[in-house]
Amino acid sequence: MRIAVGSDHAAYDLKTEMVSTLRELGHKIVDFGPGSPDPVDYPDIALAVARAVAAGEVDRGVVACGTGVGVSIVANKVPGVRAALCHDTFSARASRQHNDANVLCLGARVIGPGLALEVLKAWLRAEFERGGRHERRVRRITEIEAGLGPRQGDGRPEGGGRP
Ligand code: RB5
């Protein structure tokens, strides 16, 4: 698989470990940096990885920062990207099977490298479950992204959203 990887300084060590593990597993890695643990702003790295995924230059993206929150917020701004912040293997697998997540986000200050690598491997192994309700829902995400408005129930809570 072609995988784009990037992080900020807070996840530099984790990113280094992920890159070597992924290479050992035979994946082709595009490393968006950083190349040192010096401070770097996570939005720029997450944007570069997400754009590579959206453009089809790579099959998947993996981004990490201290919490994983910043990179996930940024990655999900790029149309075509479904970024999932996962710190356990159950969510990682489900994010592929149910949501067809194409970017994995990790927080290096939240979980240790051992678990992070297990989460990463579980995420890479899992496949999207096509042809049913999950595909319909992911299609709906794409429609919403394209500006197609509310459908079911007009997106309002029962009672029309009135107090
Ligand atoms: C950097 O200190 C930290 O803010 C960053 O790694 C990340 O956690 C942001 O969401």
Side-chain angles (χ1 to χ4, degrees):
M1 225 181 268
R2 298 165 306 161
I3 305 172
V5 182
S7 77
D8 73 355
H9 51 285
Y12 173 74
D13 289 342
L14 175 60
K15 198 254 312 175
T16 306
E17 275 205 54
M18 291 196 293
V19 167
S20 53
T21 300
L22 290 172
R23 285 198 173 124
E24 276 164 28
L25 290 171
H27 297 290
K28 187 176 178 325
I29 304 306
V30 183
D31 187 348
F32 280 89
S36 82
D38 295 339
V40 59
D41 293 338
Y42 65 83
D44 301 312
I45 306 276
L47 180 64
V49 170
R51 280 185 170 158
V53 172
E57 291 161 14
V58 291
D59 305 302
R60 306 267 186 90
V62 180
V63 276
C65 62
T67 58
V69 173
V71 289
S72 68
I73 291 172
V74 174
N76 275 314
K77 304 260 179 235
V78 175
V81 165
R82 291 175 298 280
L85 173 56
C86 302
H87 288 141
D88 64 276
T89 54
F90 174 78
S91 306
R93 268 193 298 273
S95 79
R96 288 285 312 133
Q97 293 165 341
H98 294 197
N99 316 113
D100 198 15
N102 49 14
V103 172
L104 174 68
C105 306
L106 291 162
R109 290 175 178 164
V110 180
I111 55 171
L115 179 55
L117 292 176
E118 286 308 307
V119 168
L120 174 60
K121 287 184 218 165
W123 186 74
L124 288 173
R125 273 196 298 266
E127 286 298 328
F128 180 43
E129 292 171 6
R130 295 187 183 281
R133 64 193 191 283
H134 300 310
E135 190 163 355
R136 182 182 70 242
R137 291 164 187 162
V138 169
R139 205 178 312 122
R140 189 68 189 120
I141 293 173
T142 307
E143 287 174 3
I144 290 167
E145 211 169 48
L148 303 181
R151 199 181 275 166
Q152 234 174 46
D154 252 11
R156 295 197 195 95
E158 232 165 277
R162 285 177 292 277

